């Protein structure tokens, strides 16, 4: 059995016939380490050595591109910048704006929630630039997982990958539950009408949402059938959605009252930034677009236009919607489940709530659809490396879509949507997303300033030093913000240190790589600012979110040490024997004939 774990049979003509979908042990654990219990025991004994190898070894651009062959069939290149633009808006404009705006305006920021959207929008836009350069140069379905694997190594990429998958499941679950709330208002019921309360379950997990489960199943079927078909459905729904957004803005401003903008920032600056950290949820869908690079006709042109264009338009619309909502109602009276529908009802336009609810449903359907497409492609590429079972990487020959990955991720989304309340989901989602975006910005700096065999040891050491200082000063700033309610002296120390470290990187370390087709401007300033802002917003989240994040990361480590490490190690060694490899520390290629196979397992 090859490392791809594909079930192969010889047909009558002597060729190889591949089963489109199978479900055997070798589809999940085909690697040498799992061939027998003895092999597995020896693999566990070698865990420390293998872990060091995976931490120090980076992938190559070519390896990520070559991994596509492990999916049996290729995904179809059918998307243009127009598709990506609408995918971007469809992925982002959903539950974040239609629910979290009301929640954060009511509880954290007041009318100043518009500034919260500006802060989180700027942070998201900086991340979009970083994503775009990677997506153009490494056009594979793996998104940020592939980018981190190339620049920061397998181990960091896996930890990020686990949080990426968690991010998508949580985002889909949150949107699905919000879909139910707006569906209830469309039928003129209270927003919690269709929730089933179960007193025996823990608080926050005891309001069951069966409608959300049904929506997830329908979206899964659409995502499986066709990517291009999903794109067409998405931009039709998004066009309708945009019209409804303009209706909300125009009609909402007609019924506005400037008195509702007083006080503007009742929760002060801290409330604005705390809301920004949660409202980052409203921007997370854009990274799903980067996973579609493998299906894009002209990545060098289409990805920058699609990603950056959709993010700029989305941020502008978010700010207008936030202003409109807070002018229609005092922030204390904004409904936290279906704010825009209830706002129109409160000003006497009962008929308008139905238009708003219908538009919100259209938008959230788009978000769910793009999320289902994106999360499946992440899982597909992760499983190509065998960090997850290769069964998930199989692409259906007829539809050109990863059916197994789509179905499994949609099932996980439906289960979480059934049980978990929105506020728990949104906080946990934001912490995972900010963490990943910070790592992508860090990876971009590594990509620009370090190339194996070209960067000198002195420049490599300076790069590491400046990056550590940027990270440390950013963490110190966020920590001081979280612990000190009114202090300011700490910022006079941490911010200048961050500035000096960025200047040092810009002045003392020469860039070792220039982008081939499209590159992030203002390097290292833009990626360094992205690192600082993302870490700062992390410091604004609550302790419970960090505890949940820690528990999930701990689970990922256990899985990695028991299974993912050994499967990916065996797979990587197969690749090395045929193509050569590079090591972060040595910074040089090793010819395959010089590689000594590991001891028999």
């Amino acid at each position: 059995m090859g490392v791809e774990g594909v079930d192969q049979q010889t047909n009558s003509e002597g060729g190889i016939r591949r089963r489109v979908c199978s479900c055997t042990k070798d589809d999940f654990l085909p690697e040498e380490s799992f061939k027998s219990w003895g092999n597995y025991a020896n693999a566990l004994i070698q865990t420390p050595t293998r872990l060091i190898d995976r931490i120090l070894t980076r992938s190559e651009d070519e390896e990520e591109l070559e991994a596509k062959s492990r999916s049996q069939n290729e995904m179809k290149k059918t998307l243009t910048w127009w598709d990506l633009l609408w995918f971007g808006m469809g992925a982002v404009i959903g539950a974040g704006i239609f629910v979290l705006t009301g929640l954060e305006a009511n509880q954290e920021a007041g009318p100043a929630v518009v500034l919260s959207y500006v802060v989180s929008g700027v942070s998201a836009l900086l991340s979009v630039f970083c994503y775009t350069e990677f997506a153009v140069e490494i056009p594979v379905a793996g998104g940020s997982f592939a980018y981190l694997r190339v620049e920061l190594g397998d181990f960091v990429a896996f930890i990020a990958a686990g949080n990426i998958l968690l991010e998508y499941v949580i985002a889909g679950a949150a949107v699905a539950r919000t879909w139910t709330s707006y569906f209830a208002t469309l039928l003129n019921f209270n927003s919690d009408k269709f929730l089933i309360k179960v007193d025996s379950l823990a608080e926050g997990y005891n309001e069951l949402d069966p409608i959300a489960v049904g929506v997830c199943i329908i979206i899964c079927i659409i995502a499986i059938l066709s990517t291009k078909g999903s794109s067409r459905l998405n931009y039709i729904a998004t066009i309708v959605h945009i019209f409804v957004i303009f209706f909300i803005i125009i009609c909402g401003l007609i019924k506005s009252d400037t008195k509702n903008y007083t006080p503007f920032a009742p929760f002060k600056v801290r409330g604005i930034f705390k809301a920004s950290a949660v409202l980052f949820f409203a921007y997370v869908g854009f990274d799903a677009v980067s996973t579609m690079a493998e299906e894009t006709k002209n990545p060098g042109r289409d990805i920058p236009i699609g990603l950056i264009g959709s993010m700029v338009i989305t941020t502008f619309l978010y700010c207008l919607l936030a202003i409109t909502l807070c002018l229609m109602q005092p922030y204390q009276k904004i409904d936290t489940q279906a704010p825009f529908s209830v706002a129109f009802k409160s000003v006497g336009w009962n008929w308008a709530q139905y238009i708003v609810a219908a538009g919100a449903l259209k938008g959230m359907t788009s978000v769910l659809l793009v999320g289902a497409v994106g999360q499946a492609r992440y899982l597909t590429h992760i499983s190509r490396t065998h960090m997850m079972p290769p069964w998930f990487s199989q692409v259906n020959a007829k539809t050109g879509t990863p059916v197994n990955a789509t179905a499994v991720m949609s099932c996980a989304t439906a289960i979480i949507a059934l049980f978990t309340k929105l506020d728990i989901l949104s906080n946990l989602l934001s912490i995972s997303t900010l963490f990943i975006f910070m790592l992508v910005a860090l990876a971009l700096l590594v990509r620009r300033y370090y190339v194996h065999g070209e960067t000198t040891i002195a420049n490599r050491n300076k790069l590491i030093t400046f990056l550590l200082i940027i990270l440390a000063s950013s963490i110190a700033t966020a920590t001081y913000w979280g612990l000190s309610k009114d202090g300011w002296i700490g910022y006079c120390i941490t911010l200048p240190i961050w500035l000096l470290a960025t200047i040092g990187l810009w002045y003392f370390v020469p860039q070792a790589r220039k982008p081939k087709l499209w590159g992030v401007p203002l390097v290292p300033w833009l990626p360094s600012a992205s690192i600082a802002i993302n870490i700062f917003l992390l410091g604004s989240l609550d302790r419970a979110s960090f505890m949940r994040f820690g528990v999930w990361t701990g689970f990922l480590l256990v899985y990695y040490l028991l299974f993912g490490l050994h499967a990916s190690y065996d797979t990587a060694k197969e690749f090395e024997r045929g193509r050569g490899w590079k090591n972060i520390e040595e910074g040089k290629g090793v010819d395959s004939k010089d590689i000594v196979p590991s001891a028999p397992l």
Side-chain angles (χ1 to χ4, degrees):
M1 171 61 78
V3 295
E4 289 80 18
V6 177
D7 186 14
Q8 299 180 343
Q9 298 176 359
T10 304
N11 62 22
S12 58
E13 299 177 358
I16 295 297
R17 176 168 57 87
R18 299 190 178 203
R19 291 199 330 203
V20 173
C21 181
S22 56
C23 193
T24 67
K25 182 260 184 186
D26 279 348
D27 289 307
F28 290 88
L29 295 171
E31 300 82 16
E32 189 67 28
S33 293
F34 304 103
K35 290 295 184 182
S36 68
W37 286 107
N39 284 12
Y40 184 54
N42 283 327
L44 291 178
I45 292 172
Q46 296 178 38
T47 295
T49 303
R50 293 183 170 195
L51 180 60
I52 293 173
D53 177 89
R54 293 295 87 199
I55 290 175
L56 297 181
T57 302
R58 299 189 299 167
S59 176
E60 303 177 49
D61 292 10
E62 295 78 12
E63 183 178 352
E64 297 304 311
L65 295 170
E66 184 270 344
K68 293 189 291 184
S69 64
R70 300 173 188 166
S71 290
Q72 298 185 13
N73 303 287
E74 288 192 5
M75 298 183 193
K76 298 177 181 178
K77 291 185 178 293
T78 58
L79 304 180
T80 66
W81 67 267
W82 179 255
D83 296 304
L84 296 182
L85 185 70
W86 287 102
F87 259 129
M89 289 188 289
V92 174
I93 304 176
I97 186 63
F98 283 108
V99 175
L100 290 183
T101 305
L103 182 66
E104 295 307 307
N106 178 272
Q107 299 181 3
E108 301 294 349
V113 70
V114 63
L115 299 182
S116 300
Y117 268 117
V118 171
V119 173
S120 54
V122 169
S123 177
L125 187 59
L126 294 178
S127 297
V128 165
F129 276 106
C130 298
Y131 265 83
T132 302
E133 180 172 328
F134 276 117
V136 168
E137 298 206 353
I138 312 175
V140 294
S144 53
F145 167 74
Y147 315 152
L148 295 176
R149 190 165 176 255
V150 167
E151 300 303 335
L152 300 182
D154 269 20
F155 178 72
V156 173
F158 175 79
I159 298 300
N163 281 285
I164 290 165
L165 296 178
L166 177 67
E167 168 194 318
Y168 272 103
V169 169
I170 291 174
V175 175
R177 287 185 70 93
T178 305
W179 199 99
T180 302
S181 297
Y182 271 92
F183 180 64
T185 62
L186 182 63
L187 300 181
N188 205 28
F189 294 120
N190 291 331
S191 57
D192 60 352
K193 171 69 176 179
F194 297 116
L195 301 180
I196 302 172
K197 190 164 186 178
V198 180
D199 294 330
S200 59
L201 296 176
E203 183 66 29
Y205 305 91
N206 61 343
E207 294 181 352
L208 306 187
D209 191 341
I211 290 180
V213 175
V215 171
C216 290
I217 293 173
I218 294 172
I219 292 297
C220 173
I221 294 171
I222 296 172
I224 283 175
L225 292 178
S226 167
T227 303
K228 187 64 178 180
S230 299
S231 172
R232 289 170 179 161
L233 178 62
N234 169 71
Y235 66 65
I236 291 172
T238 306
I239 289 172
V240 174
H241 192 204
I242 295 297
F243 277 113
V244 173
I245 286 174
F246 280 113
F247 168 82
I248 294 172
I249 293 170
I250 295 171
C251 295
L253 291 177
I254 291 174
K255 301 297 292 184
S256 65
D257 185 350
T258 55
K259 293 180 181 177
N260 293 332
Y261 246 51
T262 303
F264 178 68
F267 301 98
K268 311 297 183 186
V269 174
R270 187 167 293 274
I272 293 173
F273 281 105
K274 188 173 182 180
S276 292
V278 176
L279 289 174
F280 209 85
F281 172 95
Y283 292 96
V284 299
F286 80 82
D287 61 340
V289 182
S290 71
T291 68
M292 300 173 197
E294 192 172 315
E295 298 159 89
T296 302
K297 293 180 178 179
N298 186 352
R301 180 198 65 185
D302 296 339
I303 292 174
I305 295 175
L307 273 173
I308 298 173
S310 61
M311 182 54 59
V312 172
I313 294 171
T314 298
T315 302
F316 179 68
L317 291 177
Y318 275 4
C319 291
L320 288 179
L321 285 167
I323 291 170
T324 302
L325 177 64
C326 293
L327 283 174
M328 292 179 69
Q329 273 189 298
Y331 74 90
Q332 305 95 325
K333 297 182 179 180
I334 293 175
D335 186 81
T336 58
Q337 295 291 329
F340 287 95
S341 291
V342 175
F344 276 101
K345 188 175 182 179
S346 72
V347 296
W349 285 15
N350 289 0
W351 57 271
Q353 69 173 317
Y354 303 112
I355 297 177
V356 174
L361 288 177
K362 287 281 188 180
M364 286 180 280
T365 302
S366 297
V367 171
L368 286 169
L369 181 58
V370 179
V373 171
Q375 68 189 11
R377 278 139 188 82
Y378 262 124
L379 181 55
T380 296
H381 196 75
I382 293 167
S383 61
R384 286 168 176 170
T385 69
H386 290 217
M387 289 187 191
M388 296 290 287
W391 181 79
F392 294 114
S393 69
Q394 295 176 10
V395 173
N396 185 274
K398 182 177 180 181
T399 65
T401 59
V403 174
N404 297 345
T406 305
V408 170
M409 292 297 291
S410 295
C411 287
T413 300
I415 293 171
I416 299 297
L418 179 64
F419 292 100
T420 315
K421 288 181 67 176
L422 180 66
D423 55 348
I424 295 174
L425 292 171
S426 60
N427 281 6
L428 186 54
L429 173 67
S430 293
I431 193 171
S432 296
T433 306
L434 289 165
F435 173 70
I436 294 162
F437 289 177
M438 180 273 294
L439 287 179
V440 172
L442 180 65
L444 182 71
L445 289 176
V446 173
R447 183 172 183 82
R448 285 290 193 94
Y449 286 93
Y450 179 83
V451 173
H452 72 284
E454 296 182 19
T455 304
T456 65
I457 294 178
N459 284 333
R460 182 199 64 182
N461 293 340
K462 285 187 286 185
L463 171 63
I464 293 173
T465 300
F466 288 129
L467 289 180
L468 289 176
I469 295 174
I470 288 171
L471 288 171
S473 59
S474 300
I475 293 172
T477 302
T479 303
Y480 188 73
W481 170 261
L483 297 178
S484 176
K485 300 300 181 183
D486 301 308
W488 55 271
I489 296 177
Y491 305 125
C492 297
I493 300 173
T494 59
L495 293 178
I497 291 176
W498 169 84
L499 179 63
L500 291 173
T502 307
I503 292 174
L505 181 58
W506 168 71
Y507 186 78
F508 291 108
V509 185
Q511 289 194 35
R513 188 199 307 263
K514 296 293 182 182
K516 300 173 184 176
L517 298 174
W518 190 94
V520 175
L522 301 176
V523 173
W525 298 100
L526 191 150
S528 181
S530 181
I531 292 171
I533 294 175
N534 287 329
I535 292 177
F536 180 77
L537 291 177
L538 281 171
S540 299
L541 292 170
D542 58 48
R543 181 178 298 177
S545 297
F546 279 94
M547 291 177 64
R548 297 186 189 105
F549 176 76
V551 170
W552 174 248
T553 302
F555 170 79
L556 291 176
L557 287 172
V558 171
Y559 168 82
Y560 184 72
L561 293 175
L562 293 179
F563 297 101
L565 167 63
H566 308 293
S568 62
Y569 179 87
D570 287 350
T571 304
K573 293 309 174 188
E574 287 289 335
F575 178 83
E576 289 165 11
R577 291 185 183 101
R579 300 285 294 275
W581 64 296
K582 62 183 179 182
N583 183 282
I584 288 177
E585 294 302 316
E586 296 178 4
K588 62 182 181 180
V590 178
D591 191 85
S592 59
K593 68 178 184 292
D594 296 326
I595 297 175
V596 179
S598 53
L601 300 179

